[in-house]
């Protein structure tokens, strides 16, 4: 390289350093919106930072079969796989915007062998051989490229939070579907036991009718009740199959039989669970964190639109050699240094409109973030209220089930002895069936209350 080329290079480097040092990032930097939050997450809660959400989902869902289904869903569920692919996509796009901050280097190797013969009697060679390195760099004087990089970074982080939200929601969906499937099994067992009792009642009614102790109406009523109970079985079997298919879908598999345990016969819930501070929702809930990252990206988009109204300055340099003869290529140095200035002068207000649109999009993102916060608090308050009441509901339904079972036993003895009619026995049987199903639903509600509370608090966010 000649002394002249070195001098040009040093001048270019010095000029670039000065331009970068003098550059600034014009625009409003992101500040989280000031949102007034409640003092606590529950009326009777203390200001304790401990939260149920700090525990791993394996501590909440202790059923080993359920844990297996959850692990399978986290590996093969299609929504999880799509969310992971989205993260990879935005990670690559983030890398593109980061690369735009730096110079780009290209190499051009060109060879052309041409022979002209104008007029037919004067042939001549017109060859060209080039070997050039191209360097181009858009100077980020106003911060447009840095704003674009900030936007892509926020979009990438939003995709990460979305993946966490999908994960949290998927765990809750699998647990809920599993518990509902177990509860349906329990309800089907109750109906089948009731169906056996109905058959015995129908047989007893037939004997009493044939013996002349009761009228035919009583016997026919027993047949009706037996048939009515029998119709419940296929409907429950249909619901069980549909729930199995739902669980298979959540685990990324085709419909098949789902392994499961049985519904516990007694409720074992603590009197209260730690819920944490209100600010913990903003830290743990991935949907709130995703909304904030979208807000950061919208703020950066405003910066991009604003700085696009300022001149763009690009540096271009070419170093290499060009010659008409290949053998002389390395002895024919070539260099070019250019600066281009692109100034938006008149575009019918397009750039101003683009800036206004970006500001409106940012305003919409602010409201979306505030809505996400409100939704998080509503979910938390609903889940806490449900959890606090489910134990009381279970106690009343447990008492009802015991009382109705005792009443049915007494009614059956009285009916056999002829002290009461069949309708009184039938009423006691119906009451007991309703009480059994009601207790089964209370047990299911207790499990779902834990699922919803854990999800509402952002459980498993780590």
């Amino acid at each position: 390289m000649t002394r002249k080329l070195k001098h040009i290079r040093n001048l270019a480097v010095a000029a670039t350093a000065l331009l970068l040092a003098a550059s600034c990032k014009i625009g409003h930097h992101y500040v989280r919106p000031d949102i007034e939050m409640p003092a606590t997450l529950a009326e009777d809660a203390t200001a304790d930072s401990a939260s149920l959400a700090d525990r791993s989902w394996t501590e909440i869902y202790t059923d080993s079969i359920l844990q297996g289904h959850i692990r399978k869903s986290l590996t093969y569920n299609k929504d999880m796989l799509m969310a992971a692919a989205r993260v990879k996509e935005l990670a690559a796009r983030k890398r593109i915007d980061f690369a735009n901050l730096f110079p780009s280097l290209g190499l051009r190797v060109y060879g052309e062998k041409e022979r002209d013969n104008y007029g037919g009697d004067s042939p001549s060679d017109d060859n060209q051989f080039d070997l050039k390195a191209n360097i181009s760099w858009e100077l980020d004087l106003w911060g447009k490229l840095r704003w674009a990089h900030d936007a892509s970074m926020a979009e990438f982080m939003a995709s990460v939070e979305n993946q966490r939200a999908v994960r949290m929601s998927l765990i809750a969906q699998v647990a809920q579907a599993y518990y509902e499937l177990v509860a349906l099994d329990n309800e089907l067992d109750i109906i089948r036991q009731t169906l056996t009792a109905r058959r015995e009642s129908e047989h007893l009614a037939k004997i009493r009718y044939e013996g002349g102790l009761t009228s035919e109406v009583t016997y026919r009523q027993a047949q009706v009740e037996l048939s009515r109970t029998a119709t419940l079985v296929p409907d429950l079997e249909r619901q069980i199959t549909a729930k199995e298919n739902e669980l298979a879908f959540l685990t990324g598999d085709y419909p098949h039989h789902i392994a499961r345990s049985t519904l516990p016969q007694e409720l074992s819930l603590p009197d209260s669970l730690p819920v944490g501070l209100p600010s913990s929702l903003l830290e743990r809930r991935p949907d709130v964190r995703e909304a904030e990252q979208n807000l950061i990206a919208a703020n950066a988009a405003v910066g991009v639109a604003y700085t696009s109204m300022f001149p763009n300055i690009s540096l271009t340099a070419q170093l290499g050699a060009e010659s008409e003869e290949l053998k002389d290529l390395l002895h024919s140095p070539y260099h070019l240094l250019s600066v281009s200035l692109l100034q938006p002068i008149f575009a019918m207000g397009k750039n101003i409109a683009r800036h206004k649109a970006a500001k409106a999009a940012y305003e919409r993102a602010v409201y979306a973030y505030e809505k996400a916060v409100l939704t998080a608090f509503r979910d938390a308050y609903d889940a806490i209220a449900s959890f606090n009441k489910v134990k009381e509901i279970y106690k009343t339904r447990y008492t009802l089930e015991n009382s109705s079972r005792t009443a049915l036993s007494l009614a059956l003895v009285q009916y056999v002895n002829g002290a009461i009619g069949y309708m009184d026995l039938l009423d006691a049987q119906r009451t007991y069936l309703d009480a059994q199903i009601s207790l089964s639903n209370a047990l299911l509600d207790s499990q779902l209350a834990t699922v919803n509370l854990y999800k509402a608090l952002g459980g498993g966010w780590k």
Side-chain angles (χ1 to χ4, degrees):
M1 186 180 291
T2 64
R3 182 177 299 177
K4 184 177 181 181
L5 288 177
K6 290 182 179 179
H7 181 65
I8 294 175
R9 183 198 63 182
N10 293 335
L11 287 176
V13 172
T16 301
L18 288 175
L19 288 172
L20 287 177
S23 65
C24 58
K25 189 178 178 182
I26 301 176
H28 296 287
H29 293 277
Y30 171 75
V31 177
R32 176 185 288 182
D34 187 15
I35 298 179
E36 184 177 354
M37 295 183 294
T40 61
L41 288 177
E43 295 181 358
D44 56 348
T46 58
D48 188 357
S49 59
S51 174
L52 172 71
D54 292 328
R55 303 178 189 175
S56 169
W57 62 266
T58 55
E59 299 179 48
I60 304 300
Y61 309 120
T62 56
D63 188 325
S64 59
I65 300 178
L66 172 57
Q67 289 182 356
H69 293 316
I70 292 177
R71 289 192 177 95
K72 185 178 179 181
S73 68
L74 294 177
T75 303
Y76 299 107
N77 180 266
K78 303 310 176 186
D79 289 331
M80 279 296 299
L81 295 175
M82 288 191 292
R86 179 63 174 168
V87 171
K88 295 177 183 177
E89 175 191 354
L90 291 180
R93 293 185 182 276
K94 172 177 66 70
R95 186 65 182 83
I96 295 173
D97 287 325
F98 179 71
N100 289 336
L101 296 170
F102 299 91
S104 62
L105 174 65
L107 180 66
R108 180 176 185 264
V109 179
Y110 178 77
E112 178 183 306
K113 187 171 180 61
E114 182 178 351
R115 185 174 180 82
D116 299 329
N117 189 0
Y118 298 106
D121 56 356
S122 58
S124 61
D125 293 330
D126 189 12
N127 303 329
Q128 183 177 349
F129 300 94
D130 294 346
L131 177 61
K132 297 177 182 178
N134 303 307
I135 303 175
S136 61
W137 191 5
E138 180 180 349
L139 301 182
D140 193 24
L141 295 180
W142 323 115
K144 182 181 73 173
L145 299 180
R146 279 168 287 173
W147 278 123
H149 177 248
D150 289 348
S152 62
M153 174 63 79
E155 290 172 354
F156 166 70
M157 292 305 300
S159 70
V160 173
E161 297 301 338
N162 175 260
Q163 185 183 26
R164 291 174 177 170
V166 171
R167 182 179 185 272
M168 184 183 73
S169 178
L170 180 60
I171 291 174
Q173 282 181 291
V174 173
Q176 178 173 339
Y178 179 82
Y179 289 143
E180 289 174 344
L181 177 60
V182 170
L184 285 172
D185 285 343
N186 188 64
E187 186 173 345
L188 181 59
D189 287 340
I190 293 172
I191 295 300
R192 284 173 174 167
Q193 292 173 11
T194 304
L195 190 59
T196 300
R198 293 286 192 273
R199 288 194 181 99
E200 294 176 356
S201 298
E202 189 267 346
H203 179 66
L204 182 59
K206 180 180 180 182
I207 294 176
R208 293 174 68 85
Y209 164 64
E210 292 176 348
L213 299 177
T214 59
S215 66
E216 184 180 359
V217 174
T218 301
Y219 171 54
R220 298 305 177 190
Q221 183 63 44
Q223 288 183 322
V224 169
E225 199 63 27
L226 174 62
S227 300
R228 179 182 299 171
T229 305
T231 60
L232 300 176
V233 174
D235 183 60
L236 281 172
E237 291 175 339
R238 176 190 60 81
Q239 294 181 51
I240 289 173
T241 300
K243 192 59 65 175
E244 284 186 315
N245 295 342
E246 179 184 343
L247 259 173
F249 177 78
L250 290 174
T251 56
D253 205 349
Y254 293 102
H256 63 277
H257 173 74
I258 299 295
R260 65 265 197 180
S261 58
T262 58
L263 188 71
Q265 297 304 309
E266 293 186 3
L267 178 64
S268 58
L269 280 179
D271 293 332
S272 63
L273 287 176
V275 296
L277 299 174
S279 58
S280 65
L281 280 184
L282 306 187
E283 299 169 0
R284 295 187 179 93
R285 289 272 299 219
D287 53 342
V288 176
R289 293 161 65 95
E290 179 187 2
E292 184 174 15
Q293 291 299 328
N294 289 332
L295 179 57
I296 295 174
N299 180 74
V302 175
V304 172
Y306 181 64
T307 52
S308 295
M309 294 188 288
F310 293 86
N312 293 335
I313 300 178
S314 299
L315 298 178
T316 303
Q318 292 183 356
L319 298 175
E322 62 179 22
S323 174
E324 294 183 354
E325 298 294 335
L326 182 60
K327 61 184 179 64
D328 298 329
L329 180 63
L330 299 179
H331 303 287
S332 306
Y334 168 87
H335 71 272
L336 170 68
L337 179 64
S338 64
V339 179
S340 62
L341 174 66
L342 178 61
Q343 168 67 52
I345 298 177
F346 178 72
M348 289 293 293
K350 180 173 64 177
N351 291 326
I352 296 177
R354 185 181 292 114
H355 181 231
K356 289 182 178 180
K359 290 177 68 176
Y362 172 77
E363 182 181 0
R364 175 167 52 86
V366 171
Y367 296 139
Y369 173 71
E370 293 175 347
K371 179 182 177 181
V373 173
L374 289 175
T375 301
F377 275 92
R378 184 196 65 184
D379 292 346
Y381 272 72
D382 288 346
I384 293 170
S386 177
F387 180 85
N388 290 337
K389 287 295 181 182
V390 71
K391 195 168 186 178
E392 180 182 344
I393 294 173
Y394 169 78
K395 288 181 179 179
T396 57
R397 293 185 181 180
Y398 182 80
T399 302
L400 174 63
E401 194 270 346
N402 285 335
S403 301
S404 59
R405 182 173 63 250
T406 303
L408 176 60
S409 299
L410 294 174
L412 184 60
V413 173
Q414 289 177 329
Y415 174 69
V416 172
N417 293 327
I420 61 174
Y422 177 75
M423 295 305 297
D424 294 323
L425 174 63
L426 181 59
D427 183 62
Q429 289 176 334
R430 288 175 177 174
T431 301
Y432 181 54
L433 175 61
D434 292 341
Q436 284 181 295
I437 295 177
S438 179
L439 179 61
S440 177
N441 290 336
L443 288 166
L444 172 62
D445 290 342
S446 69
Q447 294 174 321
L448 297 185
T450 303
V451 172
N452 293 331
L453 179 60
Y454 187 64
K455 177 186 175 183
L457 296 177
W461 70 285
K462 293 182 180 180

